[in-house]
Structure formats: C-alpha cells, structure tokens
Amino acid sequence: MADTKREIERKFEFRTTKAGRRGVPDLTGTAAIAAVTDQGTAELDAVYYDTPDQRLAADGLTLRRRTGGKDAGWHLKLPVAPGVRDEITAPLGDTVPDALTALLRSRVRDTPLEPQVRLLSSRHVSHLLDADGALLAELSTDAVRAERADATAAWTEVEVELADGADPALLDAVEKTFRKAGLRVSDAPSKLARALTETGGEPSARTTGADTGLAEDTMGAHVLAYLREQRDTLIAQDPAVRRGLPDSVHQMRVATRRLRSAFKTYRRILDPAETGPIGEELRWLAAELGVARDQEVLLERIQTRLDELPRTLVLGPVRGRLKIWNVARRTGSRRAALAALDSRRHVALLNALDALLADPPLQKAAARPAESALPAAVLGDYERLAGRIEAALSLDPGEGRDLALHEARKAAKRARYAAEAAAPALGKPARKLGKVVKAVQSLLGDHQDGVVAREALRGVAVQAAGAGESSFTWGVLHAREEALAERRERELPQVWAATAGPAAALRG
C-alpha cells in the first residue's frame, strides 16, 4: 500500500566556504519560530532508479529506494509546482513496488527501471517550533556524497520542509535570514538533479521531435508544437488519473479530444492516412475514461437539482436511492478506466504518438506561413458548426433535435479547439472566436447533460418503484430537466449570433 504526502520545501546551499564553516544560523525569532530543537543525525543510503535514458529525471520525477532514518522505503516524488512535490511512499523491498510502477507507466512503458545514482547522506535534523511547541518545519543539513558509475561528487545542502498546515510564508522568512548568513536558494531542484549534473549525467530535455527543416512561423511547426503539448498532457495526467486526483480524468479526455480535433482540422498538414488510426485509438481512450467522468458530472447535476427542490417535493428515501445508484455505476467505471491505462493498447497509443511526432508525415501545406494559412483551417471548422446548428434548429423539438444538437455540440468543441490552437499565431481574433464558440459549446453541453440526466432519472425512478419507494420526486426532477432543455433551445440563436462578429474579424 502506497501513502501520499504533499511536500513543500526549499533547498539552500552555502555561497562561500567561509559561510559553510559558520554553518546554519539560529532561526529562533524568525517569523513564528520560537524554538529550535535538535533531533540528532541519521545516515541515509538512497539508490535512485530511472530508465537508461533518464526519462524520469527529464520530467523532474525521482524514484528512490532508501534505507536509514525514520522513513526507509521506496519514495516516488511527483512535481506539483516549484518547491512543491507529492511524495508517494511504499514499504521497503528489493524491487520497485507495483503501486509505484503503475504511476510511472506512461513515461517508462516497457523500458526497465534500473539503478542510476547512489546518494549517501549524513543528515542532521532540527525541528522548528512555535510558541506552543507545535512543529512548523523540519530543518535538515545534509552532507551528501553522490556515486554514479566511476564519478563522484560531494556537497552540503540545507533543506527546510514545512509541517502539514504550516504557513508557506515561513519559507520566505527563513530565506531572508539565510541570505544574511551566506546561504542562497539552490539552483538544483533536487539532490538527484545536482548529482546528475556534477557527475556528468545531466538528462537531456524531452525531445521535441525530429528536425523537420520548417521555420518556426510555418503551419507545420505550429501544429507540431500544439500536438506535442497535448501528448505531454496525456503523459502527465496518467498518474493523476490513477491517483483519483480532482479533474484529472477531465484534463486527460480534453487532451485526447484536442489531438483528434487537430488531426482533422489540419489534415492538409499531416497525412490523414497516418493520423487517422491514431485518432481512432484516441477515441477509444476518451470513451474508456468518459464512463467515470460522465458519471461524476451526472451525479453532481442530479444532486444540484435535488438540492433546489422544496422539502415538500422530496418524498421517500431519495438521497439513499441516489447513493445506491451512483455506487453501482461508479465502481465499475473507475475499474474500466484503470484497466484501459494498464492495457497494452494504451502503451501502443503513446508509442504511436511519439513516433508520429518524431517523424511527422508532413504534407506540402506544412511549409505555408501560419499567419496566412491558419484562418482558413479555423473557419472551416466554424462553418461546419454553423451547418449543424442550422440543421438542428430546423427540426421540431424532440429526440431528433436532441440528437442534432448533440452533433452540433461535438462540432463546437472542434471549432473551439481549432481557434484556441491557432491563438498563439493569430492572436486576439482567434482568442475571441474561441471564447464565443466556447459559450455555444457550454450551452449545447448543458442541453445534452439534461438529455442524459432525464434518461438516468427515469432509470432511478424505475428502481425506486421496484423497491416500493415513491417515484414522485424523480418525476419532478425529470420535468424540470425538460423545462431547462427548452430554455436552452430558445437561448441558442442569440448565443450563436454572437459568434458572427469574431468570425468576420478572423476572415479579415
């Protein structure tokens, strides 16, 4: 079983040998620090694992097996923000625990994790306490020796790690005191990064693909940069989805959609014969992830509508029934999402994306200037959306119109993503079009969510009736969803009309 801890810290080093001889200054009286208590010295032995080409280090991740001290075991550190990492620990063993291997799958795939660097640290620890004796932070002074193949390096490092719930401003106050004493914030984000640099093993930055010979302002260069960004999001969100972090499934699905949309929007840039099969695999992944995400959205919607009802309209064990319904659907959906991420098919998809970006199947249009060629691609998706909205609004209310509006919603996503992708090259006109099309997408999305909610409410009502419970409240919620859908349909023409001006501006 792996445990997670949010680690907020700042690392320092002595600017001069003289400052090092003076040592760490007394922090008593700095900010809320009322006392500094000595906790003794521990001898730590850590072996850091990575792929031979150091994929983890290139992305700022560290995986180590450490003995000595109070937290011996396997430690995986995932970057969250500068100076902030999530540390996931697992019990000590001879091999990398499966729970940690799974979190690294999107990065290492089938490449073995092997020992890369050994760090031997003599760590002197002090606790920084407030006036009530509560722990504010842990102060560590580490004398480090790094061993990598035949190379070695040694240095002294000072680290201040906040206790849970401590004010991050404490680190700024400590830094101010340290600067006066001859310490500065370390340039290296971690011990491993410094060890690799000082032993000649600094990892290469993530590859941006083969040299295509395209100038930076061309369509091809612009599209490839956008695709790489979405590929990197897929990789980064994989461990977040496995950990069940908020919004991670949504972010991963959005990346799959943006990749698929870009393949279609820019089919004159990248050969569709090559991107088409990858697009279908992205569709599969989004569908597998969508089961969990869609259930989450649906539950939140029903709960919100239920909270809006007067108590007099809530009859029977409504919330209990809703909980039973959700648990049954959610358990299976998360299992399906994790199975997809663990599958060979997912690894093959990531490998295919890497291969595409390393050797892109560029067509002649890729060499055209982005500023002059991008508007046509974006407006093509906009006109496609216009056709679908016109077709939907021409239908009478009912199932046929609901289906047509759902197709319009999908077209709105593609048009929005196209505008957003073009914004770095086209600037304000593309950003403004993306913004107004997003409003159309949101309205159509709310309409479709209502369609799905009505079907779910009917199912829950059947379950309630079968259990001898009143189904009255479920019928009330169903009627309210119908009324909301009608309102959204009436609002659509006005919201859509707001896109005309930005579209005309992009046409120039």
Side-chain angles (χ1 to χ4, degrees):
M1 181 66 68
D3 297 316
T4 302
K5 179 181 181 300
R6 177 62 55 89
E7 182 181 82
I8 304 176
E9 64 182 17
R10 199 164 297 177
K11 297 179 183 296
F12 302 88
E13 58 187 59
F14 294 101
R15 286 199 298 262
T16 63
T17 302
K18 182 178 180 180
R21 285 197 298 267
R22 288 198 301 265
V24 177
D26 183 6
L27 291 171
T28 303
T30 299
I33 301 172
V36 179
T37 61
D38 192 327
Q39 301 296 308
T41 300
E43 303 300 323
L44 309 177
D45 187 344
V47 177
Y48 286 77
Y49 284 67
D50 205 336
T51 59
D53 56 355
Q54 296 176 353
R55 298 179 195 175
L56 302 186
D59 282 352
L61 283 72
T62 61
L63 172 67
R64 71 187 178 203
R65 180 186 186 275
R66 190 166 78 182
T67 57
K70 297 179 180 179
D71 61 346
W74 287 91
H75 303 160
L76 171 62
K77 297 192 178 187
L78 303 171
V80 176
V84 183
R85 296 186 292 181
D86 279 347
E87 183 179 64
I88 304 169
T89 61
L92 197 62
D94 293 333
T95 59
V96 182
D98 292 342
L100 302 188
T101 301
L103 296 176
L104 299 172
R105 184 175 174 82
S106 65
R107 288 179 168 88
V108 306
R109 299 169 204 173
D110 295 324
T111 306
L113 289 163
E114 301 172 349
Q116 300 295 324
V117 179
R118 184 183 185 190
L119 295 183
L120 301 170
S121 303
S122 182
R123 167 169 290 184
H124 183 260
V125 178
S126 298
H127 282 176
L128 309 181
L129 309 177
D130 66 13
D132 297 324
L135 180 65
L136 295 172
E138 184 172 275
L139 168 67
S140 304
T141 303
D142 295 342
V144 185
R145 174 181 170 83
E147 300 176 352
R148 180 177 177 273
D150 295 330
T152 62
W155 68 90
T156 297
E157 178 177 289
V158 179
E159 176 183 298
V160 179
E161 180 179 343
L162 292 180
D164 293 341
D167 185 354
L170 178 68
L171 294 177
D172 295 330
V174 169
E175 180 180 340
K176 184 177 181 180
T177 299
F178 276 1
R179 281 202 306 267
K180 295 177 180 178
L183 287 94
R184 64 180 178 87
V185 176
S186 176
D187 294 330
S190 67
K191 287 184 177 66
L192 175 62
R194 181 165 183 173
L196 291 172
T197 298
E198 297 200 8
T199 59
E202 188 172 7
S204 303
R206 178 182 287 278
T207 178
T208 58
D211 182 6
T212 60
L214 295 172
E216 290 185 5
D217 61 351
T218 59
M219 283 276 284
H222 177 86
V223 171
L224 289 174
Y226 180 75
L227 294 176
R228 283 192 292 269
E229 180 182 344
Q230 305 312 317
R231 183 274 314 270
D232 291 349
T233 298
L234 276 185
I235 292 172
Q237 289 299 327
D238 182 294
V241 171
R242 294 174 186 274
R243 296 170 60 198
L245 297 185
D247 205 40
S248 57
V249 171
H250 174 63
Q251 293 300 325
M252 197 171 190
R253 284 184 82 194
V254 168
T256 66
R257 290 170 179 158
R258 284 176 169 159
L259 284 164
R260 288 181 58 226
S261 293
F263 288 160
K264 294 175 181 177
T265 299
Y266 303 114
R267 54 191 177 278
R268 292 188 177 183
I269 307 301
L270 296 170
D271 185 357
E274 298 291 332
T275 60
I278 299 176
E280 287 305 307
E281 290 303 283
L282 288 166
R283 181 199 296 272
W284 159 78
L285 178 59
E288 294 298 310
L289 294 170
V291 178
R293 172 62 180 172
D294 291 345
Q295 177 63 19
E296 178 183 322
V297 171
L298 180 56
L299 175 65
E300 182 178 349
R301 186 182 185 93
I302 295 175
Q303 286 178 327
T304 298
R305 298 290 179 262
L306 185 57
D307 291 341
E308 294 169 350
L309 287 183
R311 291 185 179 181
T312 55
L313 297 183
V314 181
L315 305 182
V318 173
R319 296 190 186 279
R321 173 57 52 189
L322 184 61
K323 183 177 181 180
I324 293 171
W325 169 81
N326 181 60
V327 169
R329 290 168 60 106
R330 190 179 184 89
T331 301
S333 63
R334 174 157 177 79
R335 189 181 300 117
L338 294 180
L341 296 183
D342 284 335
S343 68
R344 298 294 310 167
R345 190 172 180 178
H346 180 47
V347 171
L349 168 59
L350 295 177
N351 288 338
L353 282 169
D354 285 350
L356 179 84
L357 293 171
D359 186 18
L362 296 173
Q363 304 196 91
K364 289 183 179 180
R368 295 180 62 191
E371 189 172 345
S372 62
L374 275 175
V378 175
L379 290 169
D381 283 343
Y382 173 80
E383 295 300 337
R384 176 172 170 270
L385 168 60
R388 292 199 178 183
I389 287 182
E390 182 179 355
L393 291 177
S394 69
L395 299 174
D396 293 330
E399 184 178 354
R401 177 183 269 197
D402 289 343
L403 291 172
L405 288 172
H406 182 42
E407 291 303 311
R409 177 196 186 188
K410 290 189 283 188
K413 286 182 181 179
R414 178 168 158 182
R416 170 195 164 191
Y417 294 153
E420 291 176 346
L426 302 182
K428 185 177 179 179
R431 285 195 298 271
K432 192 168 184 180
L433 181 61
K435 183 178 180 179
V436 293
V437 171
K438 182 180 179 180
V440 174
Q441 177 197 327
S442 296
L443 185 148
L444 292 171
D446 191 50
H447 182 278
Q448 176 60 19
D449 289 348
V451 172
V452 174
R454 294 203 303 270
E455 182 62 26
L457 289 166
R458 182 181 180 279
V460 178
V462 170
Q463 292 178 10
E469 301 165 4
S470 171
S471 59
F472 173 82
T473 300
W474 305 113
V476 172
L477 292 175
H478 189 284
R480 289 197 168 200
E481 286 290 0
E482 284 186 325
L484 181 61
E486 292 174 1
R487 187 160 73 235
R488 293 290 177 262
E489 291 177 26
R490 291 194 301 270
E491 294 170 348
L492 178 58
Q494 181 178 355
V495 176
W496 170 246
T499 68
L506 193 62
R507 290 188 183 95

